[in-house]
Amino acid sequence: MERLSDIGTIKEILSKHGFSFSKGLGQNFLINPSVCPRMAEMSGAGEKVGVIEIGPGIGVLTNELCKLAEKVVAIEIDKRLIPVLSETLSDYDNVKVINEDVLKIDLNKLIEEEFNGMKVVVCANLPYYITSPIIMKLLEENLPIEAITVMVQKETAQRMCAEVGTRQSGAVTVAVNYYSKPEILFNVSAGSFMPAPKVDSAVIKLNVFDKPAVQVQDSKMFFKVVKSAFGQRRKTLPNSLSSGLGISKLEINNLLSECGISLTARAEQLKLEDFKNIADKIQG
Ligand code: SAM
């Protein structure tokens, strides 16, 4: 639909369908016309590329993706938006809208059934109440996707794209950097949305690796170590690892020394290799 990102058009469509925003579903719709074309362009959508969009809302970003991509599959949980999307996407025959919860859908199956060997990327303005679970699902399920370009809260963007081993890093930084090379593309002000959220946002791109950044014996143990290390920020590293992993402090101290890690180090000072070495040593 032409001029869909125009605030007047958006208001008209919403009132025609008697739509009211659900705060619980993280519904903050984009009304800044410059954001969606930029996001779609930078996502890698193009000829012979399939795009998965999560939470199309009324379809502002979907429209831009349809212009560029071979095919777009948009997953929207709110069934009230399905008739709206049929109207706003009626110009395109390369789009499919699925009324489902993205956290419950089998994405490997969806990719196999819908994209027929195409290169696949994800592009979405995410519902902020489930940003991390969605990103972790996309990364952990070993999906054949090349990149994930998503709008998230600015703070989350900074945390996810921080360098591992620096003060800004947390468990999510390690997870994101294990699976991908993250980058912040651009910032978006709160006023670009309706209703306006309390915080500013940023668009990030996770360039997904073919294989993780470090080769670990067991990824479950690797993430258990990461989670334990960051679990209790005020505790020292040996204490938080000992309580998180249920291993005696003496054993943890020996293990850290064998890995060449100072007993006074903090979780945010460790590199991916350090987490890998600890996890592999525990595995024996
Ligand atoms: N893409 C639209 C835009 O940019 O204007 C809407 C983005 S809005 C921040 C988030 C969207 O995600 C809403 O349409 C909401 O209904 C949808 N959503 C929320 N939870 C979802 C879930 N679990 N699965 C799929 N969609 C979801």
Side-chain angles (χ1 to χ4, degrees):
M1 180 182 262
E2 279 307 305
R3 295 167 54 79
L4 180 58
S5 51
D6 180 281
I7 176 110
T9 315
I10 296 175
K11 281 188 172 160
E12 205 181 299
I13 291 170
L14 294 178
S15 102
K16 181 172 151 196
H17 288 268
F19 184 82
S20 54
F21 292 97
S22 158
K23 221 176 167 184
L25 289 178
Q27 290 179 339
N28 301 93
F29 292 173
L30 269 165
I31 51 166
N32 177 339
S34 70
V35 175
C36 293
R38 245 179 121 189
M39 258 183 100
E41 188 73 46
M42 295 174 101
S43 72
E47 257 179 64
K48 302 206 175 87
V49 178
V51 182
I52 299 176
E53 187 191 357
I54 297 154
I58 66 162
V60 265
L61 176 60
T62 328
N63 255 265
E64 299 304 324
L65 292 169
C66 287
K67 286 181 198 164
L68 301 176
E70 189 81 23
K71 181 171 181 185
V72 179
V73 173
I75 306 161
E76 173 56 62
I77 198 172
D78 189 345
K79 69 173 188 310
R80 300 173 306 155
L81 289 165
I82 306 305
V84 181
L85 287 162
S86 311
E87 184 180 332
T88 59
L89 299 174
S90 61
D91 292 346
Y92 302 99
D93 59 8
N94 60 340
V95 59
K96 178 168 178 178
V97 176
I98 300 180
N99 183 205
E100 287 254 23
D101 178 345
V102 68
L103 293 179
K104 297 200 178 132
I105 206 164
D106 181 342
L107 288 172
N108 261 311
K109 191 161 156 242
L110 181 148
I111 291 172
E112 205 181 303
E113 288 175 358
E114 302 291 343
F115 293 115
N116 193 24
M118 283 174 223
K119 182 176 144 181
V120 179
V121 300
V122 173
C123 185
N125 171 13
L126 290 180
Y128 292 169
Y129 73 106
I130 43 169
T131 299
S132 291
I134 294 177
I135 291 185
M136 289 321 294
K137 178 182 165 95
L138 294 171
L139 293 171
E140 279 172 353
E141 289 189 352
N142 212 0
L143 306 169
I145 50 177
E146 307 235 334
I148 301 167
T149 302
V150 282
M151 175 96 66
V152 299
Q153 285 188 11
K154 201 169 166 184
E155 255 188 29
T156 310
Q158 284 162 345
R159 170 81 73 190
M160 286 187 171
C161 300
E163 203 178 317
V164 178
T166 63
R167 271 193 74 178
Q168 295 79 17
S169 69
V172 74
T173 321
V174 178
V176 162
N177 280 273
Y178 174 78
Y179 290 110
S180 70
K181 182 167 171 25
E183 55 179 326
I184 296 185
L185 295 183
F186 56 92
N187 293 328
V188 179
S189 68
S192 298
F193 301 87
M194 178 171 73
K198 290 199 179 75
V199 290
D200 287 335
S201 297
V203 177
I204 61 172
K205 184 168 185 180
L206 311 181
N207 302 287
V208 182
F209 298 138
D210 290 337
K211 53 181 192 269
V214 287
Q215 307 311 305
V216 297
Q217 279 180 35
D218 174 10
S219 62
K220 280 208 179 95
M221 178 54 78
F222 175 81
F223 283 109
K224 217 170 150 191
V225 168
V226 172
K227 238 175 143 181
S228 308
F230 284 101
Q232 290 144 313
R233 279 200 170 237
R234 284 210 200 101
K235 285 195 180 176
T236 61
L237 185 62
N239 278 336
S240 46
L241 284 177
S242 169
S243 64
L245 297 167
I247 300 177
S248 77
K249 187 135 170 254
L250 183 65
E251 265 182 272
I252 292 286
N253 285 351
N254 289 338
L255 212 137
L256 289 175
S257 302
E258 282 173 37
C259 296
I261 300 167
S262 156
L263 301 184
T264 58
R266 299 183 160 278
E268 65 259 32
Q269 294 172 314
L270 303 191
K271 302 275 187 202
L272 280 173
E273 284 290 337
D274 295 323
F275 290 110
K276 168 205 150 61
N277 290 339
I278 298 171
D280 285 356
K281 273 256 165 3
I282 293 172
Q283 289 301 105

